[in-house]
Amino acid sequence: MSQPLKSSSIRVQEFLASHGHNFTVTELADSTRTAKDAANAIGCTESQIAKSLIFKDSNTEKAVLIIASGSNQVSVKNVEAAIRACCSSKFVFAAV
């Protein structure tokens, strides 16, 4: 028997549904904190995991979501340079 979803997962499920997406949010018993943990929990390779990082503009507080393969390391310097070139703004990593 599956456990009820945590409130944060329920909010994600409701957001998806309210935007017309018919996905089912599933919580795993094993840790998925890292890409390696997630891959082990579902039985795939790290490169098949999508990890997300959120960067925040220190001036406007706008967020930028970076999604990368679980096997790749994201360079904060490269992200900042790309955003600065695109948006003429300084972004800083937001620990979310």
Side-chain angles (χ1 to χ4, degrees):
M1 184 172 173
S2 63
Q3 298 290 330
L5 292 176
K6 295 178 185 172
S7 61
S8 57
S9 296
I10 291 170
R11 286 193 307 272
V12 170
Q13 183 73 66
E14 289 172 348
F15 176 87
L16 292 169
S18 72
H19 287 79
H21 301 289
N22 188 23
F23 297 114
T24 302
V25 174
T26 304
E27 293 177 342
L28 302 175
D30 296 330
S31 172
T32 57
R33 182 164 175 82
T34 67
K36 184 174 183 175
D37 289 345
N40 289 337
I42 63 171
C44 68
T45 65
E46 272 187 78
S47 62
Q48 293 174 297
I49 297 295
K51 61 183 172 185
S52 58
L53 301 167
I54 298 174
F55 292 81
K56 180 175 67 175
D57 183 316
S58 60
N59 297 317
T60 68
E61 300 294 311
K62 288 185 179 179
V64 173
L65 173 64
I66 305 295
I67 300 176
S69 167
S71 60
N72 292 335
Q73 185 170 357
V74 175
S75 165
V76 174
K77 287 183 181 184
N78 288 347
V79 170
E80 287 177 333
I83 293 170
R84 199 174 303 113
C86 166
C87 308
S88 299
S89 186
K90 181 181 179 189
F91 280 68
V92 294
F93 181 72
V96 176

